[in-house]
Amino acid sequence: MEAEVVVSQGRLMRRGYTTGSCAAAASKAAAAMLFSGEEMDSVRLDTPKGITLTLDVLDILRGPGFVRCAIRKDSGDDPDDTDGTLVYASVSIPQAEIPEDEVCMHPRIPSVEQLDLRVEIWGGIGVGKVTKPGLSCKVGGPAINPVPRKMITQEVRSVMEQYGYRGIVRVVISIPDGPAIAPKTFNPRLGIIGGISVLGTSGIVEPMSDRALIETMYTEVDSRKANGYNNLLVFFGNYGADFTRDEMKLDISTAVTCSNFVGELLDYAVLKGFESVLIIGHSGKLIKLAQGVMNTHSKYADCRSEFLALQAMFHGAGPSVGREIYQALTTDEMTKILKREGLFETVMKEVSAKIDFYMQKRVHGKIRTGAILFSNVFGILGKTAEADDLLALHRHSEG
């Protein structure tokens, strides 16, 4: 793989390649072996990013009129649950008798109409099935995104032309580990069942990419909009989801996860025409918004203790109490001190007001915003001005 090392966050890191590249490379290799009658141990693939990959061809199975093989996914230095997974492609002509385990789970995706060079792409075992609108794949079909579909079609057609084959070729993409990996991904929340998605827009995985997380968040928001929702319920992650479901007894099935990217979430909600955003989050994340910090990852900023110490002293605490809050390691410990000093309600009112101010500043007053801060120890700590009204909207939507 060429140009595989990049500088990210000040150090050298390895690029990887997407499940889409794996599917396209496996399809190309299987087609070439089918029409040439020869085996191959590696295959070259030109990715949309312009990087050429040379990938090992694994687990080859041949039969009359079909060939199946696999490419092993390599995510480089990007943390990814699909790293090391085998992505299979089976390429066959219509009259071939394919193996019993080569199950077509989902309807075919026809390539752009070209009758003498037609490629049909099917989803096999471990490729998710789309059940909700709003995604780039049709409801009822396999979760194979547009760029991977285009890559597969182009590679298989090029092989068909090379060997002078005219007619229909069927390609079945399978990921045997898909059902086990799927619960670790966003797919169940997007209405993709039974497996994972075949993804990738550039064909290359950039290491430690915040952009991948943001794009996933955008996909969730798009799905909610396509399903008719105008009011977004948002969590940072599992803490917010668990607290909202277990303690607040609210349905979280249509919520969106923003990770650390509050600013991008608010910007996109405005762009997509939502009416409101309600964030329910742990105080350790949400208090950062009170200082205008819209990316809550600790590598960017951590102003929690400074802000709470300052607000405590503004409302009567002495320097020793301010120092104690400043030196506390967790927001739960800071909350405990504020309660002890009788300053909790006053300070949290200021925190909520500042969060309100900065959220509205980010959206330029174009949509309603709200936030609810909680602690796993102390429960709900604070609410912005419109939080209860927005919460009531979500409860009403449950019926």
Side-chain angles (χ1 to χ4, degrees):
M1 174 176 168
E2 300 174 10
E4 65 177 356
V5 178
V6 296
V7 176
S8 178
Q9 300 172 358
R11 60 193 180 96
L12 294 177
M13 305 184 77
R14 273 195 328 115
R15 285 187 172 113
Y17 41 89
T18 63
T19 48
S21 288
C22 293
S27 299
K28 180 180 182 180
M33 289 188 284
L34 175 64
F35 294 118
S36 71
E38 300 177 0
E39 288 201 0
M40 54 197 301
D41 57 12
S42 66
V43 62
R44 288 171 60 88
L45 180 74
D46 294 325
T47 65
K49 192 176 181 68
I51 295 174
T52 299
L53 306 175
T54 301
L55 305 175
D56 293 337
V57 179
L58 307 172
D59 200 13
I60 300 168
L61 176 67
R62 306 176 64 95
F66 81 91
V67 174
R68 183 174 67 194
C69 65
I71 301 292
R72 190 176 299 279
K73 168 75 181 299
D74 183 351
S75 300
D77 286 331
D78 191 62
D80 189 336
D81 290 318
T82 64
D83 187 42
T85 299
L86 288 175
V87 178
Y88 285 81
S90 172
V91 175
S92 61
I93 55 178
Q95 62 268 31
E97 293 185 10
I98 62 174
E100 291 183 3
D101 64 340
E102 191 61 72
V103 180
C104 295
M105 305 290 289
H106 316 307
R108 64 183 173 87
I109 306 170
S111 64
V112 175
E113 198 62 34
Q114 186 174 338
L115 295 179
D116 61 341
L117 292 171
R118 200 167 81 201
V119 179
E120 296 180 353
I121 303 171
W122 296 68
I125 294 171
V127 173
K129 179 181 179 180
V130 179
T131 65
K132 294 181 180 179
L135 303 178
S136 55
C137 306
K138 291 183 178 180
V139 173
I144 303 175
N145 277 19
V147 172
R149 292 203 305 263
K150 182 178 179 181
M151 293 170 67
I152 293 167
T153 300
Q154 288 178 340
E155 296 299 341
V156 173
R157 275 187 178 166
S158 69
V159 174
M160 294 167 70
E161 290 178 333
Q162 179 183 352
Y163 290 98
Y165 179 82
R166 294 291 185 268
I168 300 173
V169 165
R170 178 170 64 182
V171 179
V172 181
I173 304 300
S174 303
I175 308 173
D177 292 339
I181 297 171
K184 304 174 186 178
T185 72
F186 285 92
N187 275 9
R189 297 180 61 178
L190 295 173
I192 298 172
I193 62 173
I196 62 174
S197 302
V198 179
L199 301 172
T201 55
S202 69
I204 298 297
V205 176
E206 298 292 347
M208 308 299 289
S209 173
D210 283 355
R211 176 51 50 184
L213 293 173
I214 292 170
E215 291 295 339
T216 299
M217 177 182 71
Y218 288 167
T219 300
E220 281 202 75
V221 174
D222 288 342
S223 176
R224 303 302 174 260
K225 192 64 177 178
N227 282 278
Y229 294 96
N230 292 312
N231 302 289
L232 281 178
L233 178 64
V234 181
F235 308 128
F236 292 100
N238 291 333
Y239 282 164
D242 292 346
F243 182 85
T244 304
R245 181 190 62 241
D246 299 338
E247 303 299 327
M248 301 180 69
K249 308 302 181 185
L250 190 67
D251 179 19
I252 64 171
S253 62
T254 61
V256 168
T257 300
C258 71
S259 186
N260 295 298
F261 308 104
V262 180
E264 286 83 357
L265 181 280
L266 292 173
D267 294 344
Y268 201 61
V270 172
L271 177 66
K272 300 300 288 187
F274 282 86
E275 296 174 7
S276 73
V277 172
L278 174 63
I279 301 178
I280 301 177
H282 192 277
S283 57
K285 292 281 190 183
L286 264 175
I287 285 176
K288 295 181 182 182
L289 271 63
Q291 289 287 76
V293 175
M294 291 289 162
N295 185 320
T296 59
H297 197 288
S298 57
K299 69 184 177 182
Y300 294 109
D302 188 1
C303 53
R304 298 167 300 164
S305 61
E306 293 90 340
F307 183 72
L308 292 179
L310 187 63
Q311 288 297 325
M313 290 190 288
F314 280 169
H315 293 89
S320 62
V321 173
R323 186 177 298 109
E324 187 180 2
I325 294 171
Y326 175 74
Q327 292 176 342
L329 296 180
T330 66
T331 52
D332 283 339
E333 191 64 27
M334 299 171 206
T335 299
K336 184 178 179 180
I337 298 168
L338 290 170
K339 285 180 173 288
R340 184 195 70 201
E341 297 296 320
L343 294 169
F344 170 74
E345 291 185 2
T346 301
V347 170
M348 282 301 156
K349 184 177 180 180
E350 293 291 342
V351 169
S352 299
K354 282 292 187 180
I355 292 172
D356 208 359
F357 170 79
Y358 281 111
M359 289 181 74
Q360 277 297 298
K361 184 177 180 181
R362 184 73 182 219
V363 302
H364 302 286
K366 293 181 178 179
I367 64 174
R368 301 170 71 187
T369 57
I372 298 175
L373 300 82
F374 72 88
S375 156
N376 292 328
V377 176
F378 298 104
I380 293 177
L381 303 181
K383 301 177 182 179
T384 59
E386 289 212 75
D388 279 331
D389 286 346
L390 298 183
L391 186 61
L393 282 177
H394 289 283
R395 292 199 185 281
H396 178 71
S397 70
E398 295 179 20

